[in-house]
Amino acid sequence: MTLLVTAMLPALLAALLAAPLALLPDAGPEHAAPAAPSVSPAATGSVDPAGTRVDFPGAGGIVLHGLVLTPPTAAAWHRGPGLVPIPGAGPRQDTRSRELAPLRWYESTWFQAVATLLCLTGFAGYALTGAVRRIRGRSRPDALPRAARWAAATGTAALLGGLGYLLFLVVTAAMFPGPVLFGRPVAWLAVQLLALVALGSAVVAAGTALRRRAALATAPGLDRARLGALLPAAALFTPWALSWGLLLP
């Protein structure tokens, strides 16, 4: 008896597993999924499409190049043409680019930082100490050249005005340069004029100081120090102004 049950157990398990499948509506062989039909590539429009080169004019005179892919069969027109950019077909460059020239010594970062600090100290220091002396009611020594005051005032204005205008252009992305005269912004022309007046006044002050060197020897030490700081600042201001184009026509 035991042997009979053991022999029939596989058949019973197979019948139990086949019974749920027989209840499904598509379980029969007549409901089997049909085989996928064989479709040729030409019927689906998957053959190589025809290409047409086109050019697209852009802003700034830039011309982009591309390739329009047209379906070769009428059955594939519902997909519409496609645009494929051509690799490396960007703006063409007719001339070879040149490497940037190395900065001159007066265009380096360290020189700009040091020169700006020393020039501002010499120009503004002379003007501020003179203003403090007038507030205290002290008279100006006759040995000091009058042109030194002009050099100090215009040099300070040229330094602060030039740097301030350049900073304004950077912040506004140069969208508002202001009125233009002779092809240059009026504000920049004013800074150039201040720079020229500062250097001219410094040259006159140096010449006057040489003629009055005997009188300057008896002047107070503070006044001699003021003039001694102003004239080197004016000399250093020359390459600084050249690097920023303040002395260029």
Side-chain angles (χ1 to χ4, degrees), residues 2 7-8 10 35-36 40 59 78 84 91 97-98 101 154 173 175 179 181 186-188 196 214 218 223 231 234:
T2 302
M8 295 178 61
S40 63
H78 68 279
V84 178
S97 300
R98 294 183 300 175
T154 54
M175 297 296 293
L181 183 63
V186 174
W188 189 251
L196 290 175
T218 60
D223 292 324
L231 296 180

Side-chain angles (χ1 to χ4, degrees), residues 119 123 147-165 184-203 230 233-234 237-238 240-242 245-248:
C119 290
F123 288 141
R149 293 186 297 177
W150 284 94
T154 54
T156 303
L159 272 168
L160 298 181
L163 295 177
Y165 183 70
R184 297 189 182 186
V186 174
W188 189 251
L189 288 175
V191 174
Q192 287 187 296
L193 180 60
L194 290 172
L196 290 175
V197 173
L199 289 179
S201 300
V203 171
L230 175 68
F237 179 73
T238 302
W240 185 92
L242 282 172
L246 293 177
L247 302 180
L248 299 179

Side-chain angles (χ1 to χ4, degrees), residues 94-117:
D94 298 330
T95 58
R96 184 179 179 84
S97 300
R98 294 183 300 175
E99 296 183 0
L100 294 177
L103 296 177
R104 298 179 177 88
W105 63 270
Y106 57 82
E107 295 175 338
S108 60
T109 304
W110 67 267
F111 176 82
Q112 291 294 321
V114 173
T116 301
L117 180 61

Side-chain angles (χ1 to χ4, degrees), residues 214-232:
L216 283 174
T218 60
L222 177 60
D223 292 324
R224 293 198 305 270
R226 292 172 59 209
L227 188 60
L230 175 68
L231 296 180

